[in-house]
């Protein structure tokens, strides 16, 4: 026969086992020994704020966690319940900092997601399985993590590989290819070196040959979640810190701080920070400067923007502002500021912003003013770029740091060889009499035009220009019209050589996007073949050499030669068109190879018919 006291004691005991947080509960258990009943001594139930707790097992029997709490291993204490930490049917939720069990926070809404550690006074939220998967699949957000992951996944291409890729599309210019390949490779290394040291060391530790870095990162995060199953969202100490203060402290501990003030004076070792070496390409028109940039842009993993300097004006005037250069780079980086800050900018036609002397009383808004605006951009500054889909006047801007952006400038610089020859005291008229060559790009271009005459040999003239451009110095560019501060920020000067006859013949056929294969593809759409023999190719190259427009002259010659064939071939019986040396020199017409004769009705239909008779002939062809 049961006693009411016994049932009350059992109810209190079960309530304590379910996780009632109390410091000390006095329980009485009644048992029968014969006819008399006596009380057992008081039973202590430890609270959640201590190491061991009482919990209920699945079968309903009670167990005391304090009896075997010291025997449990740490790994058993780290196993967490995935149901949100109800405390039933599994092991305890323990604090990831001190290892003590956590108590549930009483909120207005009945939820078991929030727990608190009594010892270190931190609040935690319990993650579900879906939250864990979302956290594991999240991509690295910061620029350092993205670069770290990219370098660990795939090392940067060596200069020889970049050179071989450029060789498939651009013929000649081996020196310029080597300079660009080395500059791109050093750009990758500079980005990696300028990452904070803590992140870089972590990469080297994580990098193992057996697993990919993404798998290592996933495994590390899985271990982390398996270890704690908790995500710290805030920290509240009894001294009244603000919510989230501990999270900010952790972030500040992880991010490496730069040494300042007295720490710099006392430190014995300083990390080397690599700086960029901007490049300027010099060469005659049609020598492949822009093509090198366009080809290089396709093989890089960093954003690459090609900008035209002819449209740039000084701030406040009609035309594109200088910030539009970085805006194009930001657009190529899909409006990611971190990626854009590691890109490469190609400034084309940079010689068109050279200053013109003689207008000192006026503002040179399209020349010297643009150079002055580009000074800090080349060296490294923070530029305010308009946001995506926003007007500039509204003030919605994004700040982009240009310290790690590599700038490559290019220009034809017509007449620069005349300036170099005057500096080297060559080709003076009379007995050392200085010529009346003025300063500025217009005077240099006029001198180049005056020096060019049809009587001199074209090949010898190009060789002389190439020889003079190899001795170019900064003072020659300053005399051309570039300001000294601008020239000083472009330390690597790369002259490109002119194209000779042999190179032009190779340009016609060898590159992947050559001129002759393009026209062969055009004729193949009309089911016709185009054949150009070797003598015709040499004659075309010789004509392009005389025009002095470089590789661009090849296309104009081909257009003129193939005008009649492209007019005759569509809807005709011509199967092939052949070009030889006489055709190029204008002594003969292109030779057509025709198909066998068709029936009369088809011939009438295929030939050119007058417009008013076309419906009648079409009906006749159908019948």
């Amino acid at each position: 026969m049961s006693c009411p006291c016994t049932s009350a004691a059992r109810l209190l005991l079960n309530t304590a086992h379910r996780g009632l947080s109390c410091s000390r509960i006095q329980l009485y258990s009644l048992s029968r020994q014969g006819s008399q009943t006596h009380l057992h001594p008081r039973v202590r139930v430890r609270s959640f704020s201590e190491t061991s707790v009482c919990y209920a097992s699945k079968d309903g029997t009670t167990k005391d966690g304090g009896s075997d709490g010291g025997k449990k291993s740490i790994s058993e204490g780290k196993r967490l319940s995935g149901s949100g930490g109800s405390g039933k049917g599994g092991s305890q939720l323990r604090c990831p900092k001190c290892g003590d069990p956590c108590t549930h926070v009483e909120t207005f809404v009945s939820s078991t997601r929030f727990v608190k550690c009594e010892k270190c006074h931190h609040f935690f939220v319990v993650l579900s399985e879906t939250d864990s998967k979302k956290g594991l699949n999240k991509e690295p957000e910061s620029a350092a993590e993205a670069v770290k992951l990219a370098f660990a996944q795939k090392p940067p291409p060596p200069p020889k590989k970049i050179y071989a890729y450029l060789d498939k599309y651009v013929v000649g210019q081996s020196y310029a290819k080597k300079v660009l390949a080395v500059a791109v490779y050093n750009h990758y290394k500079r980005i990696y070196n300028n990452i904070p040291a803590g992140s870089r060391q972590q990469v080297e530790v994580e990098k193992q040959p057996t697993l990919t870095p993404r798998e290592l990162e996933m495994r590390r995060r899985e271990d982390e979640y398996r270890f704690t199953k908790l995500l710290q969202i805030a920290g509240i100490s009894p001294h009244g810190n603000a919510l989230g203060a501990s999270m900010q402290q952790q972030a500040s501990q992880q991010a490496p701080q730069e040494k300042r003030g007295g720490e710099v004076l006392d430190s014995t070792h300083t990390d080397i920070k690599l700086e960029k070496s901007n490049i300027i390409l010099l060469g005659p028109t049609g020598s492949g400067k822009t093509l090198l940039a366009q080809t290089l842009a396709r093989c890089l993993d960093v954003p690459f923007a090609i900008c035209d300097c002819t449209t740039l004006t000084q701030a406040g005037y009609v035309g594109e502002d200088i910030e539009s250069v970085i805006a194009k780079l930001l657009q190529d980086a899909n409006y990611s500021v971190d990626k854009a800050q590691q890109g490469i900018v190609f400034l084309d036609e940079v010689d068109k912003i050279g200053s013109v002397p003689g207008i000192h009383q006026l503002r040179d808004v399209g020349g010297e003013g643009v150079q002055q605006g580009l000074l800090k951009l080349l060296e490294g500054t923070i530029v305010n770029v308009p946001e995506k889909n926003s007007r500039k006047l509204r003030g919605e801007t994004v700040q982009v740091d240009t310290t790690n952006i590599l700038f490559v400038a290019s220009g034809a610089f017509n007449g620069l060889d005349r300036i170099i020859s005057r500096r080297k005291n060559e080709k003076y008229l009379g007995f050392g009499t200085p010529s009346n060559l003025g300063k500025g790009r217009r005077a240099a271009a006029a001198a180049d035009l005056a020096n060019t005459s049809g009587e001199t040999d074209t090949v010898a003239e190009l060789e002389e220009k190439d020889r003079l451009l190899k001795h170019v110095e900064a003072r020659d560019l300053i005399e051309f019209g570039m300001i000294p501060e601008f020239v000083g920020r472009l330390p690597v000067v790369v002259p490109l050589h002119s194209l000779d006859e042999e190179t032009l013949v190779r340009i016609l056929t060898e590159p992947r996007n050559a001129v002759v294969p393009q026209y062969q593809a055009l004729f193949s759409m009309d089911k016709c073949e185009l054949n150009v023999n070797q003598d015709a190719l040499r004659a075309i190259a010789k004509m392009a050499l005389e025009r002095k427009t470089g590789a661009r002259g090849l296309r104009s010659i081909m257009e003129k030669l193939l005008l009649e064939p492209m007019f005759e071939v569509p809807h005709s019986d011509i199967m092939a068109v052949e070009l030889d040396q006489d055709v190029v020199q204008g002594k003969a017409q292109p030779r057509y190879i025709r198909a066998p004769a068709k029936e009369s009705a088809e011939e009438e239909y295929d030939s050119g018919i007058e417009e008013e008779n076309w419906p009648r002939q079409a009906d006749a062809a159908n019948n």
Side-chain angles (χ1 to χ4, degrees), residues 5 44 276 376 395 410 417 496 577 606:
C5 299
R44 286 187 183 178
K276 60 187 177 183
K376 293 303 292 180
S410 79
D417 54 329
L496 276 76
V577 179
D606 289 339

Side-chain angles (χ1 to χ4, degrees), residues 252-299:
S252 63
Q253 289 174 3
Q254 292 175 0
Q257 299 279 339
E258 290 188 1
K259 296 180 180 180
R260 293 183 179 276
E263 296 180 358
V264 178
L265 298 174
D266 297 336
S267 64
T268 57
H269 175 70
T270 56
D271 293 333
I272 296 177
K273 190 169 184 179
L274 300 177
E275 294 184 356
K276 60 187 177 183
S277 298
N278 297 323
I279 304 170
I280 182 167
L281 304 176
L282 314 172
T285 176
S287 56
K289 301 183 294 294
T290 309
L291 182 62
L292 277 171
Q294 292 171 349
T295 310
L296 196 63
R298 293 197 293 264
C299 70

